[in-house]
């Protein structure tokens, strides 16, 4: 079916400067670019902002330029209890009881956002008339919204799993909640690791749709920084103390043992991500050895320029995260990648397929040795196989998503 009308549902507003917003924002744009009409429904950027007027939304839908997605940000209804539960403001025992009740009775703990979106369900069903809806699991609220709009419109809904089911759903409720959403026409997942987990809980056959990179980032890399500097980057979440401590110890040992005192001024470490306070602790540890800059979230072109100019790009892997899709951004920079602790099987296979260089480190001494090797022999671009990297672009992955949604809308299980 060409020219699908699709309602995509994700909790994070597309303008939120956080990775949680990226998947739905980028796929909404890619699907619009493929000729489909897309409504992207999310929570509002400001939780206490004004709610869009439903009648105005209906008029806007009629006159929208569908070369770009229509964004609908819904402020949540005030629900101090739910917000307090999510933020851990209550004692453990009553908090667990409230969480269990929310999942059993309402399917999740984001009922305030679900309620805030309710005024738009019927206008979307009646005016936009979707062929299919697609909701992504950062929380089950997105699935509730996607499924309910689909029911009102008389169309199928497709579930997407971008986060770990086992990490986000309490252990005693996983089977119950999975059954609650078992009527989805199809299931997409972020990675093969997510597919393996999804098969334990859901009957639908999972289809892997990676979160990728813009196609233009797969262009050949430029030169690294000139020989007078030795920039390193650290990107993303920093997770547990153990691995950040190992990284700090490895960096310090390398600078002290392998870099002459009069050469240390060449070394900089630039951090891009939301853990700026923890990077400040790392900076204090490296004080007098190298400069550390915390940049927060930056626009992708700025981040990518830093990655391409680096001698080595570093990220910390969290065991609770099934797959770190930042690997595609790092690969597109065509620089060696250091992962602490060692990367998972899926990541290693992708890096090998694309022709990248991945340095898996188990601890501080591994970090020191990896840095020493790169310091002795600063790498030129490694020669990423660009045509293979393009398979992981948003545009290429959108073709896979398009097939899933097209088959669901046509009444076939993808």
């Amino acid at each position: 079916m060409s020219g699908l009308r699709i309602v995509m549902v994700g909790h994070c507003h597309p303008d939120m400067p956080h990775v949680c917003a990226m998947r739905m924002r980028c796929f909404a744009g890619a699907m619009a670019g493929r000729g489909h009409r897309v409504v992207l429904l999310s929570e509002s950027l400001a939780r206490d902002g004004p709610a869009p007027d439903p009648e105005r939304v209906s008029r806007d839908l009629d006159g929208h330029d569908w070369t770009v997605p229509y964004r609908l940000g819904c402020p949540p209804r005030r629900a101090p209890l739910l917000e307090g539960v999510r933020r851990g403001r209550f004692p453990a025992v009553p908090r667990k009881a409230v969480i269990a009740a929310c999942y059993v009775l309402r399917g999740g703990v984001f009922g305030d956002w679900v309620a805030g979106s309710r005024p738009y369900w019927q206008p979307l069903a009646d005016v936009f008339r979707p062929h299919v809806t697609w909701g992504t699991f950062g929380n089950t609220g997105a699935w509730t919204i996607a499924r309910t709009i689909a029911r009102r419109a008389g169309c199928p809904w497709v579930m997407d799993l971008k986060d770990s089911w086992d990490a986000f759903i309490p252990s005693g409720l996983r089977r119950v909640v999975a059954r609650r959403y078992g009527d989805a026409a199809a299931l997409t997942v972020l990675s093969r690791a997510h597919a393996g987990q999804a098969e334990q809980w859901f009957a639908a056959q999972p289809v892997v749709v990676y979160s990728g990179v813009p196609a233009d980032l797969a262009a050949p890399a430029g030169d690294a920084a000139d020989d007078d500097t030795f920039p390193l980057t650290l990107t993303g979440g920093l997770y547990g103390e153990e691995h950040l401590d190992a990284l700090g110890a490895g960096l310090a040992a390398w600078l002290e043992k392998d870099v002459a005192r009069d050469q240390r001024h060449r070394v900089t470490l630039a951090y891009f991500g939301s853990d700026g306070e923890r990077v400040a602790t790392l900076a204090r540890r490296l004080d007098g050895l190298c400069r550390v800059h915390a940049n927060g979230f930056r626009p992708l072109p700025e981040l990518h320029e830093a990655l391409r100019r680096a001698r080595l790009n570093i990220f910390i892997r969290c065991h609770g995260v099934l797959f770190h899709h930042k690997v595609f951004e790092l690969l597109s920079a065509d620089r060696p990648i250091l992962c602490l602790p060692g990367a998972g099987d899926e990541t290693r296979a992708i890096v090998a397929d694309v022709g990248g260089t991945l340095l898996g480190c188990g601890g501080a001494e591994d970090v020191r040795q990896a840095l020493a090797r790169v310091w002795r022999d600063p790498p030129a671009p490694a020669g990423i196989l660009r045509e293979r990297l393009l398979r992981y672009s948003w545009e290429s992955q959108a073709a896979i998503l398009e097939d899933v949604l097209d088959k669901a809308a046509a009444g076939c299980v993808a």
Side-chain angles (χ1 to χ4, degrees), residues 159-176:
M159 59 168 60
D160 178 59
L161 200 68
K162 74 176 181 67
D163 288 316
S164 168
W165 188 252
D166 291 359
F168 281 80
I169 303 298
S171 59
L173 299 172
R174 290 169 192 158
R175 182 67 63 190
V176 173

Side-chain angles (χ1 to χ4, degrees), residues 98-108 173 176-177 180:
V98 172
I99 289 173
C102 287
Y103 274 110
V104 171
L105 298 177
R106 298 189 177 182
L173 299 172
V176 173
V177 179
R180 187 184 189 101

Side-chain angles (χ1 to χ4, degrees), residues 271-306:
Y271 173 67
F272 297 88
S274 61
D275 283 333
E277 290 184 6
R278 300 183 63 204
V279 170
T281 302
L282 180 63
R284 288 192 293 272
R285 182 169 193 168
L286 299 175
D287 187 33
L289 295 173
C290 75
R291 290 165 289 160
V292 178
H293 307 288
N295 297 283
F297 283 104
R298 306 303 303 161
L300 184 57
E302 181 179 336
L303 169 61
H304 193 65
E305 178 64 21

Side-chain angles (χ1 to χ4, degrees), residues 214-228:
D216 58 0
L217 293 192
D223 293 334
D226 61 52
D227 289 340
D228 191 47

Side-chain angles (χ1 to χ4, degrees), residues 248-283:
L251 282 163
W254 165 64
L255 287 160
E256 290 169 343
K257 297 177 181 179
D258 300 286
V259 182
R261 189 180 298 273
D262 64 353
Q263 294 294 306
R264 293 173 188 168
H265 69 278
R266 296 170 52 195
V267 179
T268 59
L269 176 64
Y271 173 67
F272 297 88
S274 61
D275 283 333
E277 290 184 6
R278 300 183 63 204
V279 170
T281 302
L282 180 63

Side-chain angles (χ1 to χ4, degrees), residues 1-7 31-38 66 128-132 402 405-406 409:
M1 182 186 295
S2 61
L4 291 172
R5 293 189 298 274
I6 310 162
V7 175
M31 293 296 283
R34 296 179 71 84
H36 304 290
R37 297 188 175 195
V38 179
W66 293 106
F128 183 62
R129 294 175 290 111
H131 295 117
V132 64
E402 180 182 63
L405 298 181
D406 189 53

